[in-house]
Coordinates of all heavy atoms in Angstrom, one line a residue:
S365 N -6.5 17.8 -19.0 CA -6.8 17.8 -17.5 C -7.0 16.3 -17.0 O -7.9 16.0 -16.2 CB -8.2 18.5 -17.3 OG -8.0 19.9 -17.7
I366 N -6.1 15.5 -17.5 CA -6.1 14.1 -17.0 C -4.9 13.9 -16.2 O -3.7 14.0 -16.7 CB -6.1 13.1 -18.2 CG1 -7.5 13.2 -18.9 CG2 -5.9 11.6 -17.7 CD1 -7.6 12.4 -20.2
Y367 N -5.1 13.7 -14.9 CA -3.9 13.8 -13.9 C -3.4 12.4 -13.6 O -4.2 11.5 -13.2 CB -4.4 14.5 -12.6 CG -4.6 16.0 -12.9 CD1 -5.8 16.5 -13.5 CD2 -3.6 16.9 -12.6 CE1 -5.9 17.8 -13.8 CE2 -3.7 18.3 -12.9 CZ -4.9 18.7 -13.5 OH -5.1 20.0 -13.8
M368 N -2.1 12.3 -13.6 CA -1.4 11.0 -13.2 C 0.0 11.4 -12.8 O 0.5 12.4 -13.2 CB -1.5 10.0 -14.3 CG -0.7 10.3 -15.5 SD -0.9 9.2 -16.9 CE -2.6 9.5 -17.5
V369 N 0.7 10.4 -12.1 CA 2.1 10.7 -11.8 C 2.9 10.6 -13.0 O 2.6 9.9 -14.0 CB 2.5 9.5 -10.8 CG1 3.9 9.8 -10.3 CG2 1.6 9.5 -9.6
D370 N 4.0 11.4 -13.1 CA 4.7 11.5 -14.3 C 5.4 10.2 -14.8 O 5.8 10.0 -16.0 CB 5.7 12.7 -14.4 CG 6.8 12.5 -13.4 OD1 6.9 11.4 -12.7 OD2 7.7 13.4 -13.3
S371 N 5.4 9.2 -13.9 CA 5.9 7.9 -14.4 C 4.9 7.2 -15.2 O 5.1 6.1 -15.7 CB 6.2 7.0 -13.1 OG 5.0 6.8 -12.4
S372 N 3.7 7.8 -15.4 CA 2.5 7.3 -16.0 C 1.8 6.2 -15.2 O 0.9 5.5 -15.7 CB 2.8 6.7 -17.5 OG 3.2 5.4 -17.5
R373 N 2.0 6.3 -13.9 CA 1.2 5.4 -13.0 C -0.2 6.0 -12.9 O -0.4 7.2 -12.7 CB 1.8 5.5 -11.5 CG 1.1 4.5 -10.6 CD 1.3 4.8 -9.1 NE 0.5 5.9 -8.6 CZ 0.4 6.2 -7.3 NH1 1.0 5.5 -6.4 NH2 -0.3 7.2 -6.9
I374 N -1.2 5.1 -13.1 CA -2.6 5.6 -13.0 C -3.3 4.9 -11.9 O -3.0 3.7 -11.6 CB -3.4 5.4 -14.3 CG1 -3.3 3.9 -14.8 CG2 -2.9 6.3 -15.4 CD1 -4.3 3.6 -16.0
S375 N -4.1 5.7 -11.2 CA -4.9 5.1 -10.1 C -6.2 4.6 -10.8 O -7.0 5.5 -11.2 CB -5.2 6.1 -9.0 OG -6.1 5.6 -8.1
I376 N -6.4 3.3 -10.9 CA -7.5 2.7 -11.7 C -8.8 3.1 -11.1 O -9.8 3.2 -11.9 CB -7.3 1.2 -11.6 CG1 -5.9 0.8 -12.1 CG2 -8.4 0.5 -12.4 CD1 -5.7 0.8 -13.6
A377 N -8.9 3.4 -9.8 CA -10.2 3.7 -9.2 C -10.8 5.0 -9.7 O -12.0 5.3 -9.6 CB -10.1 3.8 -7.7
G378 N -9.9 5.9 -10.3 CA -10.4 7.2 -10.8 C -11.1 7.0 -12.2 O -11.6 8.0 -12.7
I379 N -11.1 5.8 -12.8 CA -11.8 5.6 -14.1 C -13.2 5.4 -13.7 O -13.6 4.8 -12.7 CB -11.2 4.4 -14.8 CG1 -9.7 4.6 -15.0 CG2 -12.0 4.1 -16.1 CD1 -9.0 3.3 -15.5
S380 N -14.1 5.9 -14.6 CA -15.6 5.7 -14.4 C -16.3 5.5 -15.7 O -15.7 5.8 -16.8 CB -16.2 6.8 -13.6 OG -16.3 7.9 -14.5
K381 N -17.5 5.0 -15.7 CA -18.3 4.9 -16.9 C -18.4 6.2 -17.6 O -18.5 6.3 -18.8 CB -19.6 4.3 -16.6 CG -19.6 2.8 -16.2 CD -21.0 2.2 -16.2 CE -21.0 0.8 -15.5 NZ -21.1 1.0 -14.0
T382 N -18.5 7.3 -16.8 CA -18.7 8.6 -17.3 C -17.4 9.1 -18.0 O -17.5 9.8 -19.0 CB -19.1 9.6 -16.2 OG1 -19.8 8.9 -15.2 CG2 -19.8 10.8 -16.7
N383 N -16.3 8.9 -17.4 CA -15.1 9.5 -18.0 C -14.2 8.6 -18.9 O -13.3 9.1 -19.5 CB -14.2 10.1 -16.9 CG -13.5 9.1 -16.0 OD1 -13.3 7.9 -16.4 ND2 -13.2 9.4 -14.7
V384 N -14.6 7.3 -19.0 CA -13.7 6.4 -19.7 C -13.6 6.7 -21.2 O -12.5 6.6 -21.8 CB -14.0 4.9 -19.4 CG1 -15.4 4.5 -20.1 CG2 -12.9 4.0 -19.9
E385 N -14.6 7.2 -21.8 CA -14.6 7.5 -23.2 C -13.6 8.7 -23.5 O -12.7 8.6 -24.3 CB -16.0 7.8 -23.8 CG -16.0 7.8 -25.3 CD -17.4 8.0 -25.8 OE1 -18.4 7.9 -25.1 OE2 -17.4 8.5 -27.0
Y386 N -13.8 9.7 -22.7 CA -12.9 10.9 -22.8 C -11.5 10.5 -22.5 O -10.6 10.9 -23.3 CB -13.4 12.0 -21.8 CG -12.5 13.2 -21.8 CD1 -12.4 14.1 -22.8 CD2 -11.8 13.4 -20.6 CE1 -11.5 15.1 -22.8 CE2 -10.9 14.5 -20.5 CZ -10.8 15.3 -21.6 OH -9.9 16.4 -21.5
L387 N -11.3 9.7 -21.5 CA -10.0 9.2 -21.2 C -9.3 8.5 -22.3 O -8.2 8.8 -22.7 CB -10.1 8.4 -19.9 CG -8.8 7.7 -19.4 CD1 -7.8 8.7 -19.0 CD2 -9.1 6.8 -18.2
A388 N -10.0 7.5 -22.8 CA -9.5 6.6 -23.9 C -9.2 7.5 -25.1 O -8.1 7.3 -25.8 CB -10.4 5.5 -24.2
Q389 N -10.1 8.4 -25.5 CA -10.0 9.3 -26.6 C -8.7 10.1 -26.5 O -7.9 10.2 -27.4 CB -11.2 10.2 -26.6 CG -11.9 10.4 -27.9 CD -13.2 11.2 -27.6 OE1 -13.1 12.2 -26.9 NE2 -14.3 10.7 -28.1
S390 N -8.5 10.7 -25.3 CA -7.4 11.6 -25.1 C -6.1 10.8 -25.1 O -5.1 11.2 -25.7 CB -7.5 12.2 -23.7 OG -8.8 12.7 -23.5
I391 N -6.0 9.6 -24.5 CA -4.8 8.8 -24.6 C -4.5 8.4 -26.0 O -3.4 8.6 -26.5 CB -5.0 7.5 -23.7 CG1 -5.1 7.8 -22.2 CG2 -3.8 6.6 -23.9 CD1 -5.4 6.7 -21.3
A392 N -5.6 8.1 -26.8 CA -5.4 7.7 -28.2 C -4.7 8.9 -28.9 O -3.8 8.7 -29.7 CB -6.7 7.3 -28.8
K393 N -5.2 10.1 -28.7 CA -4.7 11.2 -29.4 C -3.2 11.5 -29.0 O -2.4 11.8 -29.9 CB -5.5 12.5 -29.1 CG -6.8 12.5 -29.8 CD -7.5 13.9 -29.6 CE -9.0 13.8 -29.8 NZ -9.7 14.7 -29.0
V394 N -3.0 11.3 -27.8 CA -1.6 11.7 -27.3 C -0.5 10.7 -27.7 O 0.6 11.0 -27.9 CB -1.6 11.9 -25.7 CG1 -0.3 12.0 -25.1 CG2 -2.4 13.1 -25.4

Side-chain angles (χ1 to χ4, degrees):
S365 301
I366 295 173
Y367 289 80
M368 67 188 70
V369 183
D370 65 3
S371 60
S372 86
R373 184 196 82 165
I374 53 171
S375 175
I376 305 284
I379 301 168
S380 72
K381 289 195 193 80
T382 327
N383 68 25
V384 68
E385 193 180 338
Y386 173 70
L387 174 62
Q389 230 169 46
S390 313
I391 294 172
K393 283 188 202 148
V394 168

